[in-house]
Amino acid sequence: MATEIMMPKMGFDMTEGTVASWLKQVGEAVKKGEPVVEIETDKTTIQVEAETAGVLVAITVPAGEKVPVNTPIGMIGAAGESIAAKAPAPAPAVSAAPAVVAAPPAPAAVAASAPAPVAASAAAANAAPVTMPKMGFDMTEGTVASWLKQVGDAVKKGEPVVEIETDKTTIQVEAESSGKLLQIVVAAGERVPVNTVIGYIGDGNVLAGNVLAGNVLAAPQPVAPATPAVAAPAIAPQAPIDNSGANATPIARRMADELKLDLTKIKGTGPEGRVTKGDIEAAVAAGTASASVASGATSAAAANGRVIASPYAKKLAAELSVDLARTQGSGPEGRIVSDDVKKAAAAGILVSAQPSAAPAPTVAVAQPVAVSAPVVAQPAAPAPKAATPPPAGTRREPLSKMRQTIASRLAQSKGTVPHYYVATSVEMDAALAMRVQINEALKAEGVKVSVNDLVLRATALTIKKFPKFNATFAGDAIDYRENINLGVAVAMEGGLIVINVRDVDKKTLKQIGAEVPAIAARVREGKGQPGDMGGQTFTTSNLGMYGVEDVIPIINQPDSGILGIGNAIQTPVVKDGQIVVRSMMKLWLAADHRVTDGAEGAQFVAELKRLLENPWALVL
Amino acid sequence: MSEITYAQAIAQALREEMKRDPNVVMWGEDIVNYNKGGSPYGVYRGLPQEFPDRIFDTPIAEEGIIGIAIGAAMAGMRPIAEIMTVNFTLVAWDQIVNHAAKQAHMFNGQIKVPMVIRTPNGFGRTASTHSQNFDAWFASIPGIKVVVPATPADAKGLLKSAIRDDDPVVYLEHLALYHRVKGHVPEGEHLTPIGVADYKRRGKDVTIVTWGRMTIESLKAADVLAKDGIDIEIVDLRSLRPLDLSLALESVHKTHRVIVVEEGWRVGGLGAEIAASIQELAFNDLDAPIARVAGLDVPMPYAENLERATLPFAEDVVAACKAMMANQY
C-alpha cells in the first residue's frame, strides 16, 4: 500500500507551506524515520520524515511550490508499485491514467483550469431560500407567475420579488432578507408544491444553474470547487462503502453515507486531515447536479447537492427502494418526508429504475476527448450501477476508473452543454510543403513538426482573435481565460487522456514540435509533471492518423470549444473552373452555444482555414 | 362506579392510607383550622377531624415542615409534608435536595426517607411569585421520585403508591384540576405504579407526550382535531422521575411525529430532555422535528388576559398538531 506524504501542519496558524527540496528522488528507497522532504513555512524549515519504509514512488508537488497543509505532496510505496493501481488517489486522474504526477494542488494550476469561483456550496451557505408560500390551509401548490427581479438584482427586505398565482388569486411574495437574487430555481410558468424552494436571496455570488428560457434546473450547474486544497476525489465506489472508520466530522460522515461517497477517497482539510462538511460539498459540487438536471424534476437536492429528507423518510426510502435524489419534497425547504416517499414509491421512483444520468453521446464518427484536469475530472457521484445481471451470452466487464471518468464527464457535457457544430475543409498543400521544409531545416536538432503542430499553432492564433473560444460558461457570466493552453487528446489503452500544452500562442512551431511528444511520452510512462494534464483552455482531437475525414467531438468541460481534426486526404476539387487534386483536411468545431453563436464559430473556422492555407503566417 | 373530582380522589387516597397505616401523618400550613379545614383549597374536608392527632397545622416555615417530615420518615413514620403552593418549596429546597434526596444514597440505604411532599404546582391566578411551574426542576433531582397525576384515578392511585414508597416522592397537584376535573376511579384498592406512563388516547397521526394539566388540555385538543381528521395519540407520562419513555417511543414508531406539551417554561423544560431522548432512541423514525408546546419564557403576569397568553391551552396543542400535519415547522 502506498502512503501519502502530506504537507504537515506545523503550528496552529500554518495554512500552507512550501516544498523547499526533496531529499530523495523518485524510485529511491526510504527508511522509516528518514527525512524525505524539506518544508519551508513562514517561520522555519523542517525535514519531514517517512512514516513508513519503502520507495518514494511519486512526487506530486515539486520543490518550490506552495500548497495548503494536508495536501498530498508525494507518496511512499513498495518498490515497483504501480500507483495507478493502488494509490488512494489524490485525484481521479491519477488513477484514471497511468500518468502519476497528475494532481496539481498548486493554487495557480487550479486557478487556470477551474471556472471562476462560483462555489455553489459556499454561496448557498449565505443564501436564504425563497419558497412557494402556503396561502390558505388548503393550498398545496402554486404557480410562479413572474419574477419581479432578475438574477443579480439587489433586493431589499420586504420588497416584492416574485408573483405567485394560486387557484384563487395572485400575490406578490416579499423578500424576507436583503441581498441579491442569487438564483431562480423555478421559472415563471412552472407549478410546484408549497414550500418548494423557488429561488435564493443572499449576499454571496450569483449561483450557477439559473433557469434559462423556461427550463427548470433543479440544481446549480456543477462548478469546480474554489478550494484548491480539495483535490477531486474518486467518488463512485465499486464496493459497499464502510465509512465508519474514516477520519471525518459527524456531519461529513452522514453526508458521505447519504451520497454514498467513499470517505477514504476524499481529502480532508480539517485538523489531522479530518474530512469536513466543506470537503464533501466541494467533492460533490461537480458530480451530483447532473443527475437531477437530467431527470428534469425539482428534487429535494439542495444547492450543494445534499438531499434533505427526514430520518424516517430515509428509513422508509431504504425499505421501499425509493430514490430520494429524484423524490419531490413537500416539507420546509423541500425536505422529503415519509408521505413524499410513499408517493414516490407509488410512482415507481425506485433506485433500481434509475435512468442513466444523461443521454449517451450519439456522435459516432469520432471517439471524442475526455479525461482532463484533475480539478474538473470528477466522476459523477453514484455512477448508476448495473442493477440487472448481464443477459445470457454477454460478458460483463466492470468499468475501469478511466472509463467511469470518461462516461460521467462526457455524459454530463453532452447532456448539459448545448453544442453547435461548424466545419470547414482546408486545403493543406501549402502547409504540408512548408512542413517538409521546416523539418528539413530542423533535421540536425532531431525535432519534427507534425501536421497537428501546425493546426495547434493556427488554433492558438485563431483563439487570440476570438477569445470566446478560450472561455468558460459560469452560470450567469463568461469567464475568459488569460492563457491559451491547448489540450491534445492522446489515445491510450483502455481510453484516452488529454495532455496540456501551455501558452501555444507564445511558442514557435519548433517548440511545439518538441514539447507535444515529450509531454505525451512523459504522461504515457507515468512520469508526468504538474501541468502536463489539466489546465487546458481549449481542446483538440486529431484522428487523422486513422484516415478519418470527419471528427465531430464533444466539448471537454470547462472549455467552451473543441476542434476535431481529420486526415488530409487527396481530393478532386474545383479550382478556377478546373478539377485539380488537393490535400483537403476537415476541421469540425464544437462550441458551447451558451458562450458563442454559430456566426462566431463560422468566423473561427474561416480564420483557421486562412492561416493553414497561408501557412507562413504560422511562423511569422 | 361514580365519577369523582380530582380533589375527592386525593381525599380518598389520604383517608384510605391513614386508615391502613397509623404511621401516615401530615404537616402543613392552614390544613386543619383555616376556613372549614382540609387544606386551604378544601381538598379533604373532614379529614383533620377524623385524624386529629395525625394532621397538624404548622407555622409559616416550609423548611421546618419538610425538615420535620424528613426526621419523622427517618424514624420510621410515613409523613406527608403539604406545601401550600409549589412556590413556597423554594425556601425548603436545601431540605429537599440536600437532605431528603441524599440520605439513602449517603448512608448506603441504611437510612430511608419514605415521605411525600404534596403541593399544587403550576399557575393559579396568583401572579409572578405564586403562579409558577417547577416540575422540570424537581424532575432533575436524583434521589427523589416525582409524580404528576392528570386524572382522578391517577391522582388517587399515585398518591397511595407515593405514600407506600420508601423514597421521598414529590407529588405535584394542580389548582386548575382540583374541583374541575372529574373522572371514574376504580373501586377498592387502586394503586398506580410510579414510573409507568399511560396512553390517555390512542391515535395514529401525532404523538403527544405530556403530563399533568396538559394531559387534560391535550384531550380537549384531540376532540377538536378529530373534526379535522387529525388523530392524535396522547401519552401521559404520569411520573417525571423515573421517566418512562417506552410508550412515547412505541408511539413514535407508529406516528413518526412527536409534540411534547408542558405547562412550564420552555427553556430548560422537561420537554427538552424528552425531545433529546426520543431523537437519540428513535432518530430513524422521526419524520419531522420534535415540536414543543410550553409556557412562555417570561415571569407570570397578574392580568388575567396576559396570564392566559403565557400559558399553553388546548388551542395551542391544536395549532401545533395542524402545523405539523401540514409540514409547517
Side-chain angles (χ1 to χ4, degrees):
Chain A
M1 272 303 290
T3 308
E4 286 173 358
I5 305 167
M6 315 284 258
M7 174 61 65
K9 188 170 169 75
M10 299 176 289
F12 187 69
D13 53 354
M14 174 175 170
T15 56
E16 51 182 22
T18 304
V19 176
S21 65
W22 284 94
L23 308 172
K24 296 280 175 185
Q25 304 295 315
V26 170
E28 216 174 321
V30 178
K31 282 186 207 140
K32 183 175 175 179
E34 201 180 4
V36 276
V37 60
E38 209 162 58
I39 300 296
E40 199 178 290
T41 71
D42 296 342
K43 295 169 189 157
T44 181
T45 302
I46 66 138
Q47 294 186 342
V48 175
E49 296 168 358
E51 289 181 10
T52 55
V55 171
L56 184 62
V57 291
I59 290 177
T60 48
V61 176
E65 292 210 17
K66 195 171 194 159
V67 294
V69 295
N70 292 326
T71 304
I73 58 177
M75 211 172 280
I76 293 175
E81 179 167 26
S82 155
I83 289 171
K86 290 186 186 169
V94 171
S95 52
V100 173
V101 190
V110 172
S113 57
V118 190
S121 53
N126 300 328
V130 181
T131 54
M132 175 61 66
K134 186 170 170 75
M135 298 176 290
F137 190 67
D138 54 353
M139 173 178 169
T140 57
E141 50 181 25
T143 304
V144 176
S146 65
W147 283 94
L148 307 172
K149 296 281 174 182
Q150 304 293 317
V151 169
D153 281 0
V155 178
K156 278 191 209 132
K157 183 177 174 178
E159 202 180 359
V161 277
V162 61
E163 209 161 56
I164 300 298
E165 202 177 288
T166 70
D167 297 340
K168 295 168 189 158
T169 180
T170 302
I171 67 137
Q172 293 187 341
V173 175
E174 296 169 358
E176 288 183 9
S177 56
S178 297
K180 267 190 301 193
L181 183 58
L182 297 182
Q183 190 185 13
I184 290 176
V185 177
V186 177
E190 298 281 338
R191 194 174 175 85
V192 293
V194 296
N195 294 328
T196 303
V197 175
I198 59 176
Y200 285 98
I201 291 173
D203 50 9
N205 292 319
V206 167
L207 297 174
N210 280 292
V211 173
L212 295 167
N215 294 326
V216 180
L217 297 188
Q221 289 289 321
V223 179
T227 319
V230 185
I235 292 184
Q238 311 239 26
I241 309 158
D242 179 11
N243 282 331
S244 55
N247 183 17
T249 65
I251 186 165
R253 194 189 310 278
R254 192 188 70 201
M255 290 168 76
D257 287 346
E258 278 172 25
L259 298 165
K260 299 191 168 48
L261 304 185
D262 186 349
L263 274 176
T264 61
K265 302 243 169 69
I266 294 174
K267 197 52 59 201
T269 59
E272 295 167 33
R274 188 176 302 155
V275 176
T276 65
K277 182 181 168 194
D279 298 335
I280 302 275
E281 286 172 351
V284 299
T288 48
S290 60
S292 34
V293 168
S295 74
T298 312
S299 81
N304 58 11
R306 194 187 139 205
V307 173
I308 301 172
S310 78
Y312 179 58
K314 287 177 194 162
K315 181 182 169 187
L316 196 61
E319 285 168 11
L320 301 175
S321 299
V322 162
D323 185 358
L324 284 179
R326 293 184 295 137
T327 299
Q328 180 102 28
S330 65
E333 294 166 45
R335 183 190 304 160
I336 299 168
V337 297
S338 57
D339 276 354
D340 304 324
V341 175
K342 288 172 193 162
K343 279 178 199 160
I349 301 176
L350 304 180
V351 173
S352 54
Q354 184 173 2
S356 59
T362 50
V363 178
V365 181
Q367 272 294 85
V369 175
V371 187
S372 70
V375 186
V376 295
Q378 302 192 12
K385 281 198 180 150
T388 51
T394 307
R395 184 178 61 84
R396 174 168 289 173
E397 207 171 79
L399 285 185
S400 67
K401 277 271 160 61
M402 189 189 291
R403 284 247 69 81
Q404 283 177 22
T405 306
I406 293 171
S408 69
R409 283 189 34 77
L410 291 182
Q412 184 180 316
S413 175
K414 189 74 179 173
T416 61
V417 177
H419 287 60
Y420 74 78
Y421 305 92
V422 285
T424 190
S425 286
V426 182
E427 190 184 307
M428 287 296 285
D429 299 82
L432 294 174
M434 183 182 83
R435 173 177 170 257
V436 171
Q437 291 179 27
I438 289 175
N439 283 342
E440 192 66 33
L442 291 176
K443 211 170 192 173
E445 298 177 53
V447 177
K448 260 187 163 179
V449 172
S450 68
V451 175
N452 198 60
D453 297 334
L454 298 174
V455 179
L456 287 180
R457 172 88 179 138
T459 303
L461 295 178
T462 305
I463 284 173
K464 237 179 159 174
K465 276 196 175 176
F466 301 97
K468 275 192 174 179
F469 296 91
N470 204 48
T472 291
F473 180 70
D476 66 339
I478 295 170
D479 295 342
Y480 293 89
R481 269 86 70 89
E482 284 175 5
N483 297 339
I484 298 176
N485 301 336
L486 294 184
V488 178
V490 177
M492 51 194 308
E493 199 179 329
L496 53 81
I497 53 165
V498 175
I499 62 167
N500 180 32
V501 190
R502 281 181 275 194
D503 297 319
V504 178
D505 58 316
K506 299 188 181 103
K507 286 179 177 156
T508 64
L509 283 172
K510 178 178 150 190
Q511 284 172 307
I512 299 167
E515 207 169 295
V516 173
I519 297 174
R522 277 205 297 269
V523 170
R524 276 206 174 101
E525 289 164 26
K527 292 180 185 165
Q529 294 167 0
D532 279 355
M533 297 206 321
Q536 90 292 338
T537 58
F538 183 96
T539 302
T540 63
S541 177
N542 189 337
L543 295 172
M545 62 291 258
Y546 299 109
V548 166
E549 282 182 63
D550 295 86
V551 180
I552 307 179
I554 296 175
I555 290 170
N556 181 29
Q557 283 185 295
D559 302 354
S560 61
I562 183 169
L563 191 71
I565 306 161
N567 191 20
I569 295 171
Q570 291 211 329
T571 312
V573 296
V574 179
K575 262 210 133 106
D576 304 326
Q578 301 289 313
I579 294 175
V580 294
V581 174
R582 291 287 185 269
S583 291
M584 301 305 291
M585 182 177 77
K586 292 283 275 296
L587 296 177
W588 279 82
L589 170 75
D592 186 342
H593 218 322
R594 300 171 303 182
V595 178
T596 86
D597 301 320
E600 292 160 328
Q603 290 172 59
F604 182 95
V605 295
E607 173 67 6
L608 258 181
K609 178 181 168 79
R610 188 188 71 80
L611 287 170
L612 287 167
E613 291 183 352
N614 302 279
W616 290 108
L618 302 178
V619 294
L620 294 177
Chain B
M1 191 167 69
S2 62
E3 286 198 344
I4 60 171
T5 64
Y6 188 94
Q8 287 165 340
I10 290 172
Q12 276 189 9
L14 291 173
R15 184 171 282 111
E16 286 176 20
E17 291 306 299
M18 290 188 86
K19 277 184 181 167
R20 186 187 61 81
D21 184 350
N23 287 319
V24 177
V25 291
M26 285 173 64
W27 284 277
E29 293 162 4
D30 289 343
I31 63 175
V32 177
N33 293 313
Y34 171 74
N35 199 0
K36 296 176 194 163
S39 102
Y41 316 106
V43 172
Y44 40 87
R45 294 271 187 241
L47 199 65
Q49 288 74 38
E50 277 181 57
F51 301 97
D53 54 349
R54 288 164 63 190
I55 302 180
F56 307 104
D57 267 337
T58 68
I60 299 177
E62 287 78 12
E63 194 173 9
I65 297 171
I66 306 276
I68 290 167
I70 293 171
M74 288 165 69
M77 308 288 281
R78 295 263 160 186
I80 299 168
E82 177 169 331
I83 304 296
M84 192 184 285
T85 83
V86 77
N87 308 278
F88 306 151
T89 66
L90 291 176
V91 294
W93 264 58
D94 180 58
Q95 288 297 323
I96 298 170
V97 177
N98 267 344
H99 298 277
K102 302 290 198 307
Q103 296 304 318
H105 165 75
M106 286 167 59
F107 296 101
N108 197 26
Q110 296 175 85
I111 296 175
K112 291 192 171 70
V113 186
M115 64 181 285
V116 176
I117 300 172
R118 271 188 53 239
T119 185
N121 178 46
F123 84 99
R125 292 292 305 113
T126 40
S128 289
T129 60
H130 288 64
S131 206
Q132 308 177 83
N133 188 311
F134 297 148
D135 50 19
W137 291 5
F138 284 112
S140 71
I141 304 168
I144 62 172
K145 292 174 179 169
V146 182
V147 297
V148 193
T151 63
D154 288 342
K156 180 175 181 182
L158 282 170
L159 184 50
K160 287 169 72 86
S161 294
I163 291 168
R164 298 181 193 190
D165 199 280
D166 281 346
D167 287 319
V169 179
V170 175
Y171 181 95
L172 299 173
E173 313 168 7
H174 205 295
L175 292 176
L177 304 181
Y178 276 153
H179 305 295
R180 290 181 203 162
V181 170
K182 278 189 154 189
H184 293 291
V185 177
E187 303 284 348
E189 177 87 330
H190 168 59
L191 294 167
T192 301
I194 294 173
V196 177
D198 185 36
Y199 285 116
K200 286 296 192 285
R201 186 183 195 278
R202 302 309 295 263
K204 61 175 174 49
D205 292 329
V206 181
T207 299
I208 303 292
V209 181
T210 189
W211 60 93
R213 179 181 75 87
M214 294 317 296
T215 301
I216 305 302
E217 294 298 314
S218 297
L219 283 164
K220 292 180 200 166
D223 293 339
V224 177
L225 288 163
K227 288 174 192 144
D228 284 326
I230 298 174
D231 185 16
I232 65 174
E233 183 148 290
I234 300 173
V235 175
D236 177 10
L237 294 173
R238 302 198 293 195
S239 296
L240 302 185
R241 173 176 280 274
L243 188 59
D244 172 21
L245 288 179
S246 63
L247 296 191
L249 292 167
E250 181 182 77
S251 183
V252 171
H253 288 299
K254 176 168 64 176
T255 65
H256 310 292
R257 300 181 186 95
V258 187
I259 300 174
V260 186
V261 180
E262 66 184 311
E263 181 186 287
W265 296 304
R266 176 185 168 99
V267 176
L270 197 62
E273 165 65 27
I274 293 165
S277 295
I278 290 176
Q279 63 86 18
E280 278 173 15
L281 298 167
F283 185 70
N284 284 335
D285 272 287
L286 290 172
D287 203 21
I290 298 171
R292 285 182 283 167
V293 172
L296 284 195
D297 192 24
V298 293
M300 184 64 73
Y302 191 28
E304 188 167 9
N305 57 339
L306 294 181
E307 180 189 77
R308 191 171 171 84
T310 73
L311 290 164
F313 287 96
E315 57 261 35
D316 301 295
V317 179
V318 169
C321 290
K322 282 188 174 174
M324 183 161 281
M325 292 307 291
N327 286 335
Q328 288 174 337
Y329 30 76

